[in-house]
């Protein structure tokens, strides 16, 4: 089943069921007004939503064209956004570039930060930032939406509570990070509003690509219409989603509608030293910081700039047949209006 | 105007208007079903809620007894909980105890962390923790609930968006903090669910005590029925609430219903060196960590333990006439059921 929240002038949008090929959708608001409402009582709503999805596929209900640019993030605002850093390779590289040692525990204990969840960007909305000098970067990630997870849930229990999957652009302000992390309280201003894919899908839609609580498909990241990254999200993911949720729930319950992120998808390139860009036959990167890290390791300094006003990032994932699963996040960096 | 959310089996509770003396309340759900719904469209709902509050005071509407133990946190779950550390004295003391230097910038740039907001505790619910050894501590704080705050709002603009005030117990797991902060991504497991006061009040209810975007009254913190802290929340607050909101909104908008906290209330005791306990005529503390810090500075090690199972904390604030403004947070530390 695929779900989306369409722009309708409200804060949470209008819930629709989207066809498997994401070309059509049908109103689901008569069942549950919003995706959060559906998640709040998933056991009750899921069978009805699934029946509606079947009817949509068979043409048994009225439908409308699904336009990705009319979609909000599936949860336009959420009660929790907990972002892991499950591709430890990424963390190790970044540390290597600044010649900082990475504690061994990073391979056994997930790294996770509490993100802001009150104002997500629509997947086709611009990233509006007052200052290019903040070092705007994209971070291509996978995320899951959970049901209610009790405090202290095991990884196995936690895995049972995965309701939906999405893609994320976890926008990051790289040049604000060092000062903010130095204060010791984690990210705040350095992590502005994220954007999620137009469509959220249930794990069963992913077939074999969803196994071991990982999504085994390449994440397609383009920058200004050129391929920038094709890392496989199922590879080098040190902590699967069940483990990430288990980590998040150690000392408190998680409310239905909690979003847990994977962190920037990143693959090792063991045969060629650090990861290579796509132009050199590598898998490339899901964020600019990783390329800049590789450049720093190789030449002593980064040569690729962060995003400039007008730069456009696209994040998507396709199934084995080349069909877009979640629709595409596509965002341009823009100045606030009236700000020159 | 005073508002509360009463337990009714739903996730967000039932909105009621509470009398000034917090003894009675009247249903407000016919106007707005939940406090979040009221905040989502405050301009529309506020006048109706205020009229209802007037009718309640004059006895013109049916009312029921208000029981604090039936209240959930005013927002039982919220889209954002951003907690500042505005009493820099507290931060300085803690650093002093571990002989770490505090950067000068801490006096000019607020420290703030993103807290979990999906599962707040009711104000009279136990704090359930699997392990006493995690070092459970209370943190008595003031918090405001905002309306929509645009990205980049000035402190003056931000101040205009303060809708309601509450008290908070920002439960902290002190023994999990060092390892978690050492990882560099801020708090996660070390900050379990917080609890807020039974009642949220509009700034105009506070009269002269609300000025300069600070709440000028002592915070009453009791531990096991003994006074533990009486720090004045208006004193030594380096950053007022307008400045804290302005900090939070630097790189992203804040959605209506955002909660911004003051951090642990803490007063200097300039005539007597570091702050003294109440038993020695001082103002005492709003958390155990601060007393332990004083003990460490004075004797080289802390002598007061963190909370033990069965320990009870009470956090309240009274007006000049001795009447409770927000009702009391009162919580006992308990083991999970079936866990011996």
């Amino acid at each position: 089943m695929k779900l989306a929240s369409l722009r309708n002038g409200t804060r949470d949008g209008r819930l629709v069921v989207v066809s498997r090929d994401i070309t059509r959708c049908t109103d689901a608001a008569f069942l549950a007004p919003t995706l959060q409402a559906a998640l709040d009582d998933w056991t009750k709503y899921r069978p009805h939503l699934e029946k509606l999805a079947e009817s949509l596929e068979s043409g048994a209900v009225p439908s409308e064209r699904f336009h990705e640019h009319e979609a909000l993030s599936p949860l336009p605002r959420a009660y929790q956004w907990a972002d892991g850093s499950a591709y430890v390779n990424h963390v190790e590289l970044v540390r290597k570039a600044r010649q900082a040692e990475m504690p061994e525990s990073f391979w056994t204990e997930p790294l996770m930060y509490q993100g802001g969840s009150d104002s997500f960007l629509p997947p086709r909305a611009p990233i509006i930032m007052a200052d290019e000098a903040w070092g705007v970067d994209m971070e291509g990630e996978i995320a899951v939406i959970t049901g209610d997870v009790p405090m202290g849930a095991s990884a196995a229990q936690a895995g049972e509570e995965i309701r939906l999957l999405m893609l994320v652009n976890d926008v990051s302000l790289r040049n604000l990070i060092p000062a903010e992390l130095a204060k010791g309280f984690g990210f705040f201003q350095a992590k502005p509003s994220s954007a999620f894919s137009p469509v959220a899908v249930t794990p069963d839609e992913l077939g074999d690509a969803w196994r071991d609580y990982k999504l085994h498909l390449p994440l397609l990241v383009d920058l200004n219409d050129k391929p920038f990254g094709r890392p496989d999200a199922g590879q080098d993911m040190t902590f699967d989603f069940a483990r990430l949720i288990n980590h998040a729930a150690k000392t408190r319950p998680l409310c239905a509608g909690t979003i847990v992120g994977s962190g920037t998808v990143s693959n090792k390139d063991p045969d060629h030293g650090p990861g290579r860009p796509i132009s050199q036959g590598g898998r490339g990167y899901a964020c600019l910081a990783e390329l800049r890290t590789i450049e720093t390791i190789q030449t002593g300094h980064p040569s690729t700039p962060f995003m400039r006003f007008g730069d456009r990032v696209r994040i998507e994932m396709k199934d084995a047949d080349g069909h877009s699963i979640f629709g595409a996040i596509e965002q341009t960096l823009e100045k606030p209006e009236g700000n020159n």
Side-chain angles (χ1 to χ4, degrees), chain A residues 22 153 157 240 271 325:
Chain A
I22 68 172
Q157 279 178 292
D240 62 34
D271 299 339
I325 299 172

Side-chain angles (χ1 to χ4, degrees), chain A residues 36-92:
Chain A
Q36 182 64 51
L39 290 160
D40 280 348
D41 207 348
W42 191 245
T43 313
K44 173 179 152 193
Y45 290 120
R46 181 184 179 147
H48 297 288
L49 291 168
E50 279 177 342
K51 201 154 281 180
L52 188 59
E54 282 167 34
S55 302
L56 175 64
E57 291 301 327
S58 68
V61 287
S63 67
E64 53 191 299
R65 188 96 177 79
F66 178 69
H67 296 288
E68 296 184 28
H69 63 264
E70 285 176 10
L72 302 170
S73 282
L75 288 170
R77 53 180 179 172
Y79 293 107
Q80 178 156 233
W81 163 226
D83 198 10
S85 201
Y87 301 85
V88 180
N89 177 53
H90 168 79
V91 182
E92 198 176 36

Side-chain angles (χ1 to χ4, degrees), chain A residues 287-314:
Chain A
C287 67
L288 287 161
E290 196 165 311
L291 170 56
R292 288 166 56 92
T293 293
I294 303 285
E295 290 167 348
T296 302
I297 292 169
Q298 289 177 343
T299 71
H301 62 272
S303 45
T304 304
F306 289 120
M307 286 178 81
R308 299 259 171 83
F309 288 125
D311 280 352
R312 192 167 63 259
V313 58
R314 185 179 166 98

Side-chain angles (χ1 to χ4, degrees), chain A residues 189-330:
Chain A
Q189 295 175 337
K191 292 282 185 182
S193 306
S194 298
F196 293 81
S197 52
V199 174
V201 315
T202 49
D204 60 309
E205 284 291 333
L206 299 161
D208 274 357
W210 175 251
R211 55 182 195 275
D212 308 326
Y213 303 115
K214 299 178 187 179
L215 181 44
H216 295 266
L217 284 170
L219 185 67
L220 316 178
V221 181
D222 290 0
L223 188 63
N224 295 326
D225 301 321
K226 291 195 196 81
F228 184 80
R230 297 291 181 265
D232 190 301
Q235 202 176 304
D236 303 317
M237 190 186 191
T238 306
F239 306 105
D240 62 34
F241 279 108
R243 176 74 176 97
L244 292 175
I245 299 167
N246 154 262
H247 180 86
K250 182 178 172 182
T251 61
R252 53 185 162 107
L254 312 180
C255 163
T258 285
I259 306 174
V260 176
S262 66
T264 309
V265 179
S266 171
N267 286 169
K268 287 184 196 180
D269 189 1
D271 299 339
H272 301 85
R276 286 168 302 157
I278 285 185
S279 60
Q280 294 170 29
R283 294 269 181 84
Y285 322 95
C287 67
L288 287 161
E290 196 165 311
L291 170 56
R292 288 166 56 92
T293 293
I294 303 285
E295 290 167 348
T296 302
I297 292 169
Q298 289 177 343
T299 71
H301 62 272
S303 45
T304 304
F306 289 120
M307 286 178 81
R308 299 259 171 83
F309 288 125
D311 280 352
R312 192 167 63 259
V313 58
R314 185 179 166 98
I315 300 173
E316 199 172 10
M317 184 173 269
K318 292 183 175 172
D319 64 18
D321 299 325
H323 298 122
S324 182
I325 299 172
F326 303 93
I329 297 169
E330 191 171 299

